Amino acid sequence: MAAAMPLPELERWLQDRADRRPVATNIPMLDGYVAAIVAGPVSIDPRDWICPLLAVDAEGFNHGGTPEFAAICAVARRHNDISRVLSTTPDRFEPMHRRKPNGDVDPRPWCRGFYAAMRLRMSDWAPLLDTSDVNHGLLLPILLHCRDDQGRPLLGPPRRGRETREFLRKAHSDIPAVVEAMRQYWMPTRYARASLLRPTWELVPVTLNHS
């Protein structure tokens, strides 16, 4: 793989292009987005998910030596790292969360990145969005930190009280397990479908490992 932009530099680069409206403006959000791509229900052409993530044109995949290409390579590297860890040692998967001023983990940017990737193919996520499906619970530790287009809590306003606050504070600890569980949930249909198609990662000069 070509030289990838270091993550601290990638974050500054994303923030400098905020006027282009990249999906991610920080590394935790980028990380959540990529995790959803790896663990989600369908394989997506890299250009279809990386371009909105970074606010780059598809042409950026074809020209090495540019900041855009280095950013694309950084995303591909993180994609491959997540894929490898979930495939070989899922208990070692660690989302890139940051901490609030009080020291608590802040999972909100990561979760909102994950949800942004879901929205690329929301109809494919429908089985897990069905509240009557027992597996719907896999999404709860993520979606409870997300908001709708009007800025309202995606799952509705949380109940008041100390127990709710404590639950919200600790919910992030379930995220690694539910991401792997989702990957396993989708695997039979995702790879049955993918086997009928030419792998999309062969279409670009950035190598994305099979996830």
Side-chain angles (χ1 to χ4, degrees):
M1 184 183 297
M5 189 179 290
L7 293 183
E9 182 180 342
L10 177 59
E11 184 163 76
R12 290 191 297 270
W13 183 81
L14 286 168
Q15 291 169 350
D16 287 343
R17 60 197 289 110
D19 60 322
R20 297 173 180 259
R21 302 181 69 83
V23 168
T25 55
N26 56 62
I27 295 305
M29 192 169 187
L30 181 147
D31 191 57
Y33 184 105
V34 176
I37 297 297
V38 173
V42 293
S43 296
I44 306 176
D45 187 307
R47 288 165 293 202
D48 289 344
W49 62 268
I50 294 178
C51 288
L53 175 65
L54 301 177
V56 297
D57 296 327
E59 188 67 18
F61 281 74
N62 301 325
H63 302 289
T66 66
E68 288 80 7
F69 193 82
I72 291 167
C73 290
V75 171
R77 174 177 289 175
R78 183 56 183 160
H79 173 282
N80 292 348
D81 287 346
I82 293 174
S83 179
R84 182 178 62 254
V85 169
L86 291 178
S87 298
T88 59
T89 53
D91 56 313
R92 295 187 179 182
F93 172 59
E94 295 184 8
M96 291 181 174
H97 297 312
R98 289 191 179 143
R99 292 189 178 272
K100 301 177 183 178
N102 67 0
D104 287 347
V105 169
D106 184 1
R108 292 172 298 178
W110 192 96
C111 293
R112 291 169 187 174
F114 192 101
Y115 182 60
M118 288 177 60
R119 294 181 66 172
L120 294 175
R121 296 288 190 278
M122 192 64 89
S123 62
D124 292 313
W125 286 85
L128 286 188
L129 293 167
D130 181 358
T131 57
S132 67
D133 189 322
V134 65
N135 293 294
H136 174 68
L138 296 176
L139 284 173
L140 296 184
I142 295 171
L143 297 188
L144 66 83
H145 295 291
C146 299
R147 295 183 174 273
D148 63 20
D149 291 336
Q150 285 72 47
R152 299 171 299 199
L154 195 64
L155 300 181
R159 295 179 180 178
R160 297 180 181 274
R162 184 177 60 83
E163 289 185 1
T164 297
R165 290 195 299 271
E166 190 65 11
F167 173 76
L168 289 171
R169 191 174 71 83
K170 295 181 177 179
H172 71 88
S173 62
D174 293 327
I175 289 176
V178 299
V179 169
E180 168 58 9
M182 279 187 271
R183 191 180 76 91
Q184 294 292 340
Y185 176 88
W186 295 120
M187 193 175 290
T189 53
R190 174 167 176 161
Y191 293 110
R193 184 182 308 181
S195 67
L196 302 176
L197 304 171
R198 178 186 175 191
T200 56
W201 47 89
E202 293 180 358
L203 304 178
V204 296
V206 179
T207 302
L208 295 179
N209 293 338
H210 212 291
S211 52

